Amino acid sequence: MTETDGGRGPEVSAPAQCRSDAPVLVLRNATKSFGAVRALIDGSIELYAGEAHALLGENGAGKSTMVKILGGVHHPDSGVLLLDGEPITLAGPSAARIAGIAIIYQEPTLFPDLSVAENIFMGRQPLRTGRRIDRKEMNEHVREICDRLGVKIDPDQAARGMSVADQQIVEIAKALSFNAKVIVMDEPTAALSAREVERLFDVVRTLRASGAAVLFISHRLEEVFEICQRITIMRDGAFVMSAPADEMNVDAIIHSMVGRDLETMFVKSGATVGAEVLRVERLTREGVFTDISFAVRAGEIVGLAGLVGAGRSEIARAIFGIDDYDAGKVFLNGDELQARSPTAAIAAGVGLVPEDRRQQGLVMDMAIDQNVALASLSRLERLGIIRRSAEQELAADWAVRLRLKYGRLKNPVATLSGGNQQKAVLAKWLARHPSLLIIDEPTRGIDVGTKAEVHRLLDELAGQGVAVLMISSELPEVLGMADRVLVLREGRLVAELDRAEADEASIMRAATGQLAGTPL
Amino acid sequence: MVRSSPVVSGSETTPVEQAPVSAPARVPQERGLSWRMLGRWEVALLGFVLGTVLFGIAETPNFLTGTNFFDFGLNIGSIAIMALPLTLIVMTGEIDLSVASTLGLASSLLGYLFAHGWPIVGAMALVIVVGLACGLFNGLLITRLGLPSLAVTIGTLALYRGIALIILGSNSVTGFPSSYTTIGTSPIPHTELSWSLGIFILMAIVYAIVLHATPVGRAMHAIGLQQEAAFFSGIRVKRIKLVLYALSGLLCSIAGILWTFQYATSRYDAGIGLELTVVTIVLFGGVSIFGGRGTIVGVVMAVCVIGGIESALTLMNVAPQVQQIVTGCLLLISVILPNAAEGIGRIRARSAISRRANE
């Protein structure tokens, strides 16, 4: 890393007066290019001991590149990295770990078949005589760390089958076992339920109390205000501003992130509700969900809320024919859906935007236009041959309608950013003019600007008479978009709330099994 | 293929993969791009074809003669026919190693039935039905029981050959009607094409259309690249795979019939070990062993290269063992080179994207 004069870009603001200590970690004016793409133009941040620091920015703002520089994955082309005031060069991920910087990625990277303790002590297990692994001591260490974090995790449990939340805790425990001073969490809450987020925040508070510096990346601003003391905002690969959290508000943050004011977060025009499109009767899949009955009407957005694991996505999968069910019936536009396959559901007018768009929503290495056309091929053929021109027109048409940002329609869909990938999945289904659109976590991992566009799109669809069943872990999204909210708990439908009566408290009470009136 | 590792699969793609280009108001000009994509490995293959021909001309006196071309077709035709369904199977990310055993079983059964007084047409019909059943059996084990195709077809590789041995023992059956065995001695009238090569060429055209221009061909690409996403898009993944295995069994039995008449002999060990050549043709033709990528044009050119080299080596009286070494080397080349070519192509695509991003 070469040292450069810090003359370019705004200076990192001085630490707030409440702290006199020096920052643990300083990154100043870091740059990084990949080929001709300048991913990071001015990466600057100061992390203080005992403080949780939020890093905010739209997708493509350079957050991930900066995280990877801190984690030793990427080497900056220029810039300074100071650890405890000393300049340091990270040769690789293990160097970062030794230096006391730990990165917790959004999707945990544990070995599924190894136990918690084995994962934490991978490659440096305590040994007994004869180079045998000392399991007892290893498990003892793990228990001690878990006690420190205030969580209960069995050291002997295999990582496979653990929830994402528990796996993250294991990653944090691993970081602590290295005595990490700086812990970077890249969107840790994206896949967590509200209760798991709370537990994670308790762990973050414990980390802070023990003097660690936490860098927290999230798209959910309410979480940032709950847990972070300081906020740094990036835009287009460059540092924009840094300030204590209590001097900031949501509008100011969004303004700094996108460089413009967003119209209201949620557009809700209140379409006229028409005939019943989907009716689910006593749908049951043993051990997953039980006795689920509800209906969605044309022009209506119905939100499916509940904690992760309550069976929301599983119900969507059953309706769409991915998974079989043991009892119950699904009706579409009055006709029972007989064959339980996606092919049959699609033919009946259903579209599913799945939770995992990289694995299930898109064929990542296939061209954008081919992905958009993938579910509509039967309409694009003549004498059994796909009409390429019609295929390209279809994709180009939807790209314009959804304001898709792309290079060429022949590029693999993997070249799109997360938000635009989601638009491509939407285009695939909208091209079929579905009567029911099921959308699972519509805006997960999508930047604020695209998020608002997706919301506006869902509202437009409802306005055109499409029935929308929306699954979301983000309560503001559910409250902002849904006409009705169905709340699931442990595979059962426990509440149906009208838009008027639904609020965070009522949904969370139902989702967590608290009766109305009793305190949460 | 971009198999995203856990480390990079955050909610943001790494900057290299992003195309931060503002939405164009017009439809960008796409003509010629699909040809460019077809270009990479197929161009290299064309070089191999020319190289093979030049090698043949240089090393042997009568390489480019009609007779030799007929022999070439005779040797490679039946094998090439088996490579076509295997191409589609590999496109979907699966494999079928039982092809040569199905050919052997077909040959044995044909001989057995003929020796037991069946009319030749009836015997051929039953052989084709049995071939279809062999393919269906593979397909059902793979799609209904979810077993890995590699294991299943290694099993049936042994099984079908074993059945062939039970049917015919170590005997061989000869004396087939000369109106049929003539395909081993004379080409299609007015050409130098062997019957098996002629059938292969016709089928290759059909396969190329199916794979590259029809919805089911597109579905095969999608299955090979990302099976789950294909399933979520309404593609009948299992149905397509089952049909492909059935088709493979069917064509292998046809290849078995051609093989038997060409050599005018039915033996249980007909075509033993040929699965190696068939797989080599498919992979050398540029079909990715991981599925989702490949062209019929590439496979046809691979047939020319591998058939041409074998032809030349036979004319040079090179021992079969050496020919096997050549086949093995081609198989390795076909796995190593396209990967390298693809890597270079990907780097070029990236810098192209970056160039546009900076415009």
Side-chain angles (χ1 to χ4, degrees), chain A residues 36 39 59 63 68 106-107 187 343 346 358-360 362 364-365 384 386 388 391 404 408 410 415 428, chain B residues 2 9 11-15 17-19 29-30 33 212-214 218 226 228-229 232-234 293 358:
Chain A
N59 281 351
K63 306 187 301 283
K68 282 177 185 156
Q106 184 184 358
E107 278 146 55
E187 285 210 57
T343 318
I346 291 167
R358 288 161 164 272
Q359 286 299 322
Q360 300 165 345
L362 295 167
M364 296 304 278
D365 287 346
I386 302 171
R388 291 278 163 90
E391 182 179 39
L404 190 75
R408 280 167 172 275
K410 283 281 172 222
T415 58
K428 175 170 80 176
Chain B
V2 183
S9 61
S11 62
E12 296 177 39
T13 47
T14 55
E17 293 167 347
Q18 283 180 1
Q29 193 55 257
E30 303 290 356
L33 236 153
H212 300 303
T214 66
R218 182 66 60 75
Q226 213 151 333
E228 201 176 2
F232 272 71
S233 300
R293 288 173 211 281
N358 281 0

Side-chain angles (χ1 to χ4, degrees), chain A residues 255-383:
Chain A
H255 186 262
S256 301
M257 278 166 65
V258 300
R260 67 194 135 89
D261 286 306
L262 286 177
E263 307 106 273
T264 44
M265 277 287 272
F266 299 101
V267 199
K268 184 71 194 166
S269 41
T272 45
V273 172
E276 191 174 87
V277 173
L278 170 73
R279 191 165 83 246
V280 175
E281 276 182 7
R282 314 208 61 160
L283 204 63
T284 299
R285 182 169 181 221
E286 267 170 46
V288 184
F289 51 81
T290 312
D291 203 11
I292 304 291
S293 300
F294 66 92
V296 185
R297 305 167 79 88
E300 195 181 31
I301 300 180
V302 172
L304 209 48
L307 304 177
V308 169
R312 298 170 304 172
S313 300
E314 288 76 5
I315 290 173
R317 288 167 66 103
I319 294 171
F320 194 63
I322 304 272
D323 299 332
D324 210 347
Y325 41 89
D326 301 312
K329 287 177 178 159
V330 175
F331 295 89
L332 273 159
N333 297 311
D335 298 324
E336 191 183 345
L337 202 55
Q338 296 284 357
R340 295 170 187 181
S341 74
T343 318
I346 291 167
V350 188
L352 171 71
V353 179
E355 188 178 5
D356 184 349
R357 63 177 162 265
R358 288 161 164 272
Q359 286 299 322
Q360 300 165 345
L362 295 167
V363 182
M364 296 304 278
D365 287 346
M366 217 178 212
I368 299 166
D369 58 353
Q370 296 188 353
N371 265 290
V372 171
L374 196 56
S376 311
L377 289 176
S378 58
R379 298 175 187 196
L380 297 172
E381 66 172 356
R382 186 164 50 203
L383 302 173

Side-chain angles (χ1 to χ4, degrees), chain A residues 57-195:
Chain A
E58 289 191 277
N59 281 351
K63 306 187 301 283
S64 285
T65 310
M66 201 150 105
V67 165
K68 282 177 185 156
I69 286 175
L70 295 181
V73 177
H74 292 330
H75 302 280
D77 301 328
S78 67
V80 198
L81 179 63
L82 302 174
L83 199 63
D84 292 326
E86 299 289 321
I88 181 170
T89 304
L90 300 175
S94 58
R97 209 161 47 189
I98 291 161
I101 303 171
I103 316 279
I104 317 291
Y105 291 100
Q106 184 184 358
E107 278 146 55
T109 54
L110 299 178
F111 297 99
D113 294 310
L114 297 185
S115 74
V116 167
E118 284 164 333
N119 265 293
I120 290 175
F121 287 98
M122 191 68 218
R124 53 195 176 99
Q125 296 90 339
L127 297 178
R128 296 193 287 166
T129 49
R131 294 194 56 78
R132 286 172 301 163
I133 292 174
D134 190 343
R135 278 179 189 282
K136 219 171 127 194
E137 196 193 326
M138 199 160 74
N139 289 357
E140 204 47 53
H141 271 304
V142 174
R143 271 189 212 99
E144 186 192 311
I145 294 170
C146 288
D147 282 349
R148 251 199 286 163
L149 289 173
V151 291
K152 271 204 168 69
I153 283 179
D154 178 6
D156 279 324
Q157 194 183 349
R160 189 187 296 282
M162 289 177 87
S163 68
V164 172
D166 281 347
Q167 293 193 37
Q168 279 176 349
I169 301 283
V170 173
E171 296 268 12
I172 293 171
K174 189 172 171 182
L176 287 188
S177 75
F178 278 103
N179 296 315
K181 292 175 287 196
V182 176
I183 296 169
V184 181
M185 299 187 185
D186 194 355
E187 285 210 57
T189 60
L192 303 194
S193 67
R195 181 171 274 181

Side-chain angles (χ1 to χ4, degrees), chain B residues 11-315:
Chain B
S11 62
E12 296 177 39
T13 47
T14 55
V16 203
E17 293 167 347
Q18 283 180 1
V21 188
S22 59
R26 59 185 178 84
V27 185
Q29 193 55 257
E30 303 290 356
R31 190 165 302 152
L33 236 153
S34 53
W35 280 103
R36 201 189 308 168
M37 286 173 77
L38 192 132
R40 285 180 225 138
W41 179 243
E42 281 70 13
V43 168
L45 270 174
L46 201 59
F48 275 107
V49 174
L50 291 176
T52 308
V53 173
L54 291 177
F55 172 76
I57 293 171
E59 297 293 325
T60 66
N62 37 8
F63 188 74
L64 273 189
T65 59
T67 321
N68 188 44
F69 186 70
F70 171 68
D71 285 340
F72 157 82
L74 211 53
N75 286 329
I76 204 72
S78 313
I79 301 168
I81 288 171
M82 294 191 287
L84 288 173
L86 185 66
T87 299
L88 302 192
I89 287 173
V90 175
M91 280 297 290
T92 63
E94 305 285 349
I95 190 81
D96 183 356
L97 294 180
S98 69
V99 286
S101 295
T102 309
L103 179 147
L105 176 58
S107 175
S108 305
L109 188 62
L110 185 63
Y112 176 87
L113 294 175
F114 179 70
H116 285 72
W118 279 56
I120 194 74
V121 175
M124 281 161 64
L126 185 63
V127 163
I128 287 175
V129 169
V130 168
L132 190 69
C134 287
L136 271 175
F137 183 64
N138 281 336
L140 287 172
L141 289 178
I142 291 159
T143 60
R144 302 299 144 183
L145 298 186
L147 301 174
S149 57
L150 186 68
V152 166
T153 59
I154 284 179
T156 53
L157 178 154
L159 175 67
Y160 297 159
R161 187 67 71 184
I163 295 173
L165 181 58
I166 290 173
I167 290 174
L168 218 51
S170 52
N171 308 321
S172 50
V173 176
T174 53
F176 293 103
S178 60
S179 55
Y180 289 93
T181 54
T182 179
I183 67 165
T185 48
S186 49
I188 299 173
H190 313 300
T191 65
E192 297 292 347
L193 282 173
S194 73
W195 285 88
S196 54
L197 193 63
I199 292 172
F200 165 74
I201 290 170
L202 283 182
M203 282 185 172
I205 293 168
V206 175
Y207 271 71
I209 292 169
V210 169
L211 181 61
H212 300 303
T214 66
V216 71
R218 182 66 60 75
M220 289 172 204
H221 282 89
I223 293 169
L225 290 172
Q226 213 151 333
Q227 183 164 318
E228 201 176 2
F231 181 58
F232 272 71
S233 300
I235 290 168
R236 297 168 199 248
V237 175
K238 289 181 176 177
R239 175 87 55 92
I240 288 175
K241 285 186 178 175
L242 183 64
V243 169
L244 289 184
Y245 277 101
L247 192 65
S248 177
L250 178 80
L251 285 201
C252 290
S253 64
I254 291 175
I257 292 169
L258 289 169
W259 186 274
T260 309
F261 290 148
Q262 263 176 213
Y263 298 107
T265 308
S266 164
R267 287 176 53 87
Y268 87 93
D269 62 354
I272 199 161
L274 274 189
E275 58 279 337
L276 175 69
T277 315
V278 180
V279 170
T280 305
I281 287 172
V282 172
L283 297 189
F284 192 67
V287 181
S288 165
I289 188 75
F290 305 112
R293 288 173 211 281
T295 60
I296 295 291
V297 174
V299 172
V300 171
M301 288 199 279
V303 167
C304 296
V305 173
I306 288 164
I309 289 177
E310 282 192 1
S311 221
L313 294 181
T314 310
L315 283 176

Side-chain angles (χ1 to χ4, degrees), chain A residues 371-448:
Chain A
N371 265 290
V372 171
L374 196 56
S376 311
L377 289 176
S378 58
R379 298 175 187 196
L380 297 172
E381 66 172 356
R382 186 164 50 203
L383 302 173
I385 307 289
I386 302 171
R387 288 178 295 139
R388 291 278 163 90
S389 58
E391 182 179 39
Q392 280 177 20
E393 267 168 41
L394 179 91
D397 179 33
W398 282 101
V400 171
R401 289 205 218 178
L402 302 189
R403 295 191 229 163
L404 190 75
K405 291 186 184 175
Y406 62 95
R408 280 167 172 275
L409 288 172
K410 283 281 172 222
N411 288 342
V413 81
T415 58
L416 297 176
S417 69
N420 283 300
Q421 286 175 8
Q422 186 75 326
K423 285 185 185 175
V425 185
L426 277 164
K428 175 170 80 176
W429 294 119
L430 299 188
R432 287 192 59 92
H433 304 289
S435 53
L436 170 71
L437 185 70
I438 305 174
I439 182 160
D440 197 349
E441 301 293 353
T443 58
R444 171 171 293 172
I446 292 182
D447 60 85
V448 177

